[in-house]
Amino acid sequence: MSLKTQVIDARGQHEAGTQMGGRIIRDGGLVAFPTETVYGLGADGLNEEAVRAIFEAKGRPADNPLILHVRSKNEVRKLWDTVPEKAQRLMDAFWPGALTLVHKKSALVPAVVTAGMDTVALRMPDNKTARALIKAADTPIAAPSANVSGRPSPTTAQHVLEDMDGKIPLIIDGGPCGFGLESTVLLIGSPPVLLRPGMVTKSMIEAVVGLYTAAGKCG
Ligand code: AMP
Ligand code: MG
């Protein structure tokens, strides 16, 4: 079924778009929103059916796990089974920001989010609109980039519309994303493993947690 996709301009004033977006997400729907990296396609990260709809809208293979976007460092306590000291230091140094941290998940996180893995990727974005949306939704937001799988990650609302028109009810337009580079993905372990290079560099991370081996593969 085709939906009418509404685009709300949130530049300067993000209340209207984020309030509407928060309601849609609480009701199990999908909302595209800006972050400081690229536009995300968000759903309630604790609602299995809503998360499944993300994979469907993107044509994303079900074995590619999603990042959960949180609104505070505190929220990781309920989404990870523990909070390692190293993770706490990295959060204190880089959150809010473009560093995604992967660690063993708690029972609260549905398997569909993590593609069945026992770890979950968490990030607290720095973008004001993204943060207002997570607050309004009052739940962690699962969000990959808001493109059809295989296409470039979108950095404007117009790019999102080209891929998502008729598939989602709302795109929140926050203007062009600042960087267009994705978040760094780091597995917390001994040593930590860089799964995807991104805005936060290896040397920035090493300045906080010491030297580590930058080997790894991102699903
Ligand atoms: P995207 O949201 O499209 O930018 O992709 C998110 C990236 O994070 C993908 O490359 C995923 O493979 C990676 N990712 C998400 N969750 C995990 C996890 N639990 N373990 C390893 N990599 C992950
Ligand atoms: Mg992507």
Side-chain angles (χ1 to χ4, degrees):
M1 195 182 67
S2 183
L3 289 170
K4 172 101 186 75
T5 301
Q6 186 176 354
V7 181
I8 292 191
D9 193 336
R11 277 166 287 191
Q13 204 280 89
H14 51 73
E15 267 302 289
T18 54
Q19 286 306 316
M20 182 190 289
R23 272 196 304 278
I24 292 171
I25 286 179
R26 281 201 304 276
D27 289 347
L30 302 186
V31 175
F33 63 100
T35 78
E36 70 273 30
T37 58
V38 300
Y39 272 76
L41 180 62
D44 179 349
L46 303 182
N47 175 337
E48 265 189 63
E49 220 174 295
V51 173
R52 242 179 245 117
I54 295 178
F55 285 90
E56 202 169 305
K58 277 182 66 83
R60 182 176 175 105
D63 63 356
N64 194 356
L66 304 180
I67 295 169
L68 288 183
H69 295 74
V70 299
R71 74 172 201 241
S72 74
K73 293 176 200 166
N74 257 341
E75 269 192 278
V76 306
R77 288 170 203 291
K78 59 178 198 228
L79 302 171
W80 281 338
D81 72 336
T82 58
V83 182
E85 194 260 5
K86 231 176 250 172
Q88 189 62 53
R89 270 194 280 148
L90 288 163
M91 288 189 285
D92 291 341
F94 298 111
W95 284 15
L99 178 66
T100 296
L101 297 172
V102 177
H103 182 61
K104 198 157 183 299
K105 77 178 197 69
S106 74
L108 196 63
V109 179
V112 61
V113 171
T114 67
M117 292 194 296
D118 65 356
T119 54
V120 67
L122 304 180
R123 171 164 106 85
M124 178 182 176
D126 192 27
N127 178 286
K128 270 204 178 102
T129 306
R131 291 171 67 176
L133 178 68
I134 303 169
K135 184 158 187 257
D138 195 25
T139 185
I141 295 184
S145 48
N147 51 288
V148 166
S149 270
R151 303 237 310 149
S153 295
T155 54
T156 66
Q158 183 56 39
H159 290 163
V160 178
L161 190 63
E162 282 162 21
D163 275 20
M164 293 296 152
D165 195 15
K167 295 185 186 176
I168 64 175
L170 179 65
I171 298 170
I172 303 176
D173 184 355
C177 296
F179 300 95
L181 186 58
E182 273 148 326
S183 65
T184 304
V185 180
L186 186 77
L187 176 70
I188 300 297
S190 305
V193 180
L194 188 66
L195 298 178
R196 176 174 77 184
M199 276 179 55
V200 175
T201 63
K202 183 170 183 270
S203 58
M204 288 162 76
I205 294 167
E206 284 178 340
V208 176
V209 291
L211 293 177
Y212 69 91
T213 333
K217 188 180 159 289
C218 210

